[in-house]
Amino acid sequence: MRAVDAAAVREWATSCVTVLDALRADIDRINIYPVPDSDTGSNLLYTVTGARDALMLHGPGNPDDGAGAALAVFARGAVRAARGNSGVILSQLLRGIADSAGDAAVVDAPGLAAALAQAERTATTAVARPVDGTMLTVLAAAARAAEEATEGGVAAVAEAAADAAAEALVETPRQLAVLADAGVVDAGGRGVLAVLDELAGVVAGRPARQRPEFAGSADPVPSQGRLTESSQPWEVMYLLDGMSDMALPELRDRLSSLGDCVTIAGDGAGSHAVHVHCADIGAALEAGLDVGRPRDVRVESLAVAGGSLLGGRAVLAVVHGRPFAELCRQEGVRALACDSRTPLSIDRVMRAVTELRASHVVVLPAGAETTGVVEAATERAVTAGKDVVVIPCASPVQVLAAIAVHDVERRAADDVVAMAEAAAATRRGELLVAAEDAMTWVGRVHAGDLVGFVDGEVMLIEPGVSVPSATVAADAAMSVVERMLSAGGELVTLLLGARAPEGIDAAVAERLARAHPEVEFAAYQGGQTESMLTFGVE
């Protein structure tokens, strides 16, 4: 075949269904990442079957039904039928190919290579946090090989892509520790290889290549920095209509603060398939309602044999600011984010605790204004027979300190004591712009003044700098930090608020390195609106 035409697209769609049906059980069996729920093969089959059915309903009779038009229908059907994380990513593989083909009647060798490159970009963009050793890695290898094989014709491009995918699949256990531990390759990557093998067979005019069973890598993966599977209890999916492109980053950020495995896949015609693993089902739906019209909502439990994926214990941080919630999630705990659009309530905390499905839950409220609501929710939970412990934290930096010492290998009671001691031992500071006039023990504060606090007490007033520069803010920050370090300290943590001047973290780091070279420094985006900067000293 010299080029891919509409008939070849339909043949490819049919053969994909056939091969994924045959491989479904095998792919389900090796489904370890991101959740060991044995449904990747089923999700891929469901997704491609829906895509194939949409293409067949479209029919071959339209005069403008070239390869590009057929691919567009195939991709839209995949997005609307997408199931699971793997199904959503597969739909974006097809979407990228369709977008690259445009309205072309046929796709030649350079066009197919370009389409696979676009498929890789589109699929990767749909994933909030791409990870090496997954189906994205396999697709990336295929796209690179395709670009180097265009002189051999369309069959050579497809063959090169499939062979490179097979080689990349074998390497996935070396990149993802959970695969190496289980002795398997990535299940989603195996599905990508099957789809590319079928494409190569169609354009070469022969049956697809029969691949041997893929084993995992025998080489050990260093334990440091290992990734683990998703630990969220619910998989939430829905189709979202009416969302503007401008709202896409906001939705991705909000869902990422709620959980993991976030994918948002567009169909090119105004609809998006939204997927997230999370503990707060309602918040995941609210995020979609704020930017569009959710429909076809599906919620599935991610429980595995023996109980919840979280096991018997869990930690829940209740925080303000979605960037800080994401930081907590990266540290391995669940985070319930609240802001003006999703305010904190007793019911939200109760729902979050319940949906964790853990036998023992430690809750870390990041501030005095949060603690009251959390404690009220905890009283209800304890009355309902749940084992819930609250460790009050006066500042988000104390939440980070508690998380840093959390150890699931310790007895639950000992772990609570260690976390509480770490939080209490962390001195806290703030730098904010005063919203109104006030009288303090160090003098009068006027609206617009820069005010520094240490452990809740005012210790600095810089008059009339409502929009301070990074230099002014850094000087004030160092005054606060110096006061905090007067009692000793080895680590200074800085959380940047939503209104922090650009470059303030680098400016503080430079000043601290000169004044206290023995002290470690770490800065993170916090997103808090109450304070410009939040400090912690441990």
Side-chain angles (χ1 to χ4, degrees):
M1 186 176 291
R2 294 183 176 180
V4 177
D5 57 15
V9 174
R10 288 191 289 273
E11 184 180 351
W12 181 37
T14 300
S15 64
C16 284
V17 173
T18 301
V19 71
L20 288 175
D21 187 28
L23 292 173
R24 178 187 59 79
D26 289 339
I27 295 177
D28 282 345
R29 178 177 53 81
I30 64 172
N31 174 199
I32 297 297
Y33 183 86
V35 175
D37 53 355
S38 302
D39 66 354
T40 291
S42 301
N43 288 337
L44 291 171
L45 175 60
Y46 189 96
T47 301
V48 81
T49 299
R52 186 275 315 270
D53 291 347
L55 183 58
M56 295 311 166
L57 285 173
H58 178 72
N62 297 327
D64 59 346
D65 189 24
L71 287 166
V73 175
F74 192 28
R76 285 197 297 272
V79 172
R80 292 168 184 175
R83 284 285 178 91
N85 196 54
S86 57
V88 174
I89 294 174
L90 177 61
S91 77
Q92 292 306 274
L93 184 162
L94 299 176
R95 165 78 188 282
I97 292 175
D99 286 350
S100 180
D103 58 359
V106 297
V107 178
D108 59 11
L112 181 57
L116 289 171
Q118 182 61 48
E120 189 268 332
R121 290 191 294 270
T122 303
T124 301
T125 301
V127 179
R129 295 184 65 222
V131 172
D132 289 338
T134 63
M135 58 196 300
L136 293 176
T137 308
V138 173
L139 179 56
R144 289 193 299 270
E147 290 180 329
E148 298 175 358
T150 55
E151 293 184 1
V154 68
V157 170
E159 290 275 5
D163 288 344
E167 293 175 3
L169 182 63
V170 173
E171 295 297 315
T172 55
R174 304 177 192 273
Q175 300 165 305
L176 201 51
V178 290
L179 302 179
D181 291 342
V184 298
V185 296
D186 181 64
R190 181 65 185 95
V192 169
L193 174 59
V195 167
L196 294 176
D197 270 337
E198 294 304 314
L199 176 61
V202 167
V203 298
R206 56 156 178 78
R209 180 175 299 179
Q210 296 298 308
R211 301 285 182 180
E213 182 176 351
F214 287 87
S217 169
D219 295 341
V221 179
S223 60
Q224 184 176 6
R226 281 190 171 200
L227 291 165
T228 57
E229 66 272 16
S230 169
S231 57
Q232 299 285 0
W234 303 104
E235 179 180 52
V236 180
M237 284 196 69
Y238 50 85
L239 288 176
L240 187 64
D241 296 331
M243 179 176 68
S244 69
D245 291 340
M246 297 288 290
L248 180 59
E250 174 190 350
L251 178 61
R252 181 180 289 114
D253 289 346
R254 290 187 63 182
L255 293 176
S256 294
S257 72
L258 295 174
D260 50 36
C261 297
V262 175
T263 49
I264 305 175
D267 70 350
S271 292
H272 291 79
V274 178
H275 174 278
V276 61
H277 294 172
C278 65
D280 193 335
I281 299 169
L285 295 176
E286 289 169 5
L289 283 167
D290 284 343
V291 295
R293 300 183 300 277
R295 59 183 173 89
D296 296 345
V297 177
R298 295 192 299 273
V299 178
E300 296 185 10
S301 171
L302 293 175
V304 295
S308 165
L309 289 172
L310 283 174
R313 291 158 59 184
V315 177
L316 174 68
V318 182
V319 304
H320 290 276
R322 299 191 182 279
F324 185 68
E326 171 66 11
L327 177 60
C328 292
R329 189 194 66 77
Q330 291 174 0
E331 294 298 318
V333 306
R334 305 284 65 79
L336 178 63
C338 49
D339 54 25
S340 58
R341 305 181 77 172
T342 52
L344 187 64
S345 67
I346 293 175
D347 287 340
R348 280 197 72 199
V349 177
M350 273 290 294
R351 187 167 67 240
V353 169
T354 301
E355 290 175 348
L356 281 171
R357 298 179 300 155
S359 59
H360 174 80
V361 179
V362 175
V363 187
L364 302 171
E369 72 284 358
T370 306
T371 300
V373 177
V374 168
E375 288 180 339
T378 299
E379 289 179 8
R380 287 192 191 178
V382 171
T383 301
K386 298 184 182 299
D387 183 7
V388 184
V389 177
V390 179
I391 299 178
C393 299
S395 169
V397 292
Q398 294 183 333
V399 171
L400 286 181
I403 292 172
V405 301
H406 170 51
D407 185 355
V408 295
E409 300 299 324
R410 277 196 293 253
R411 290 191 313 144
D414 293 340
D415 196 39
V416 169
V417 171
M419 296 171 73
E421 289 178 344
T426 300
R427 303 195 70 191
R428 69 189 195 277
E430 286 183 282
L431 193 65
L432 56 81
V433 176
E436 57 187 21
D437 293 354
M439 181 60 71
T440 76
W441 72 280
V442 297
R444 186 170 186 82
V445 174
H446 299 279
D449 288 352
L450 195 60
V451 184
F453 294 78
V454 172
D455 293 330
E457 297 291 339
V458 176
M459 54 76 56
L460 170 74
I461 301 173
E462 290 286 348
V465 287
S466 58
V467 186
S469 65
T471 299
V472 171
D475 289 341
M478 277 303 298
S479 296
V480 174
V481 171
E482 289 284 6
R483 178 68 65 88
M484 297 171 72
L485 287 173
S486 63
E490 299 175 349
L491 170 65
V492 173
T493 301
L494 173 63
L495 290 179
L496 306 177
R499 299 182 180 87
E502 185 175 354
I504 182 65
D505 50 342
V508 172
E510 181 183 3
R511 287 163 170 76
L512 185 63
R514 288 200 306 264
H516 297 277
E518 76 285 359
V519 174
E520 293 185 44
F521 175 74
Y524 306 99
Q525 290 292 335
Q528 66 271 17
T529 57
E530 299 82 6
S531 60
M532 176 188 299
L533 302 174
T534 302
F535 311 94
V537 170
E538 302 174 53

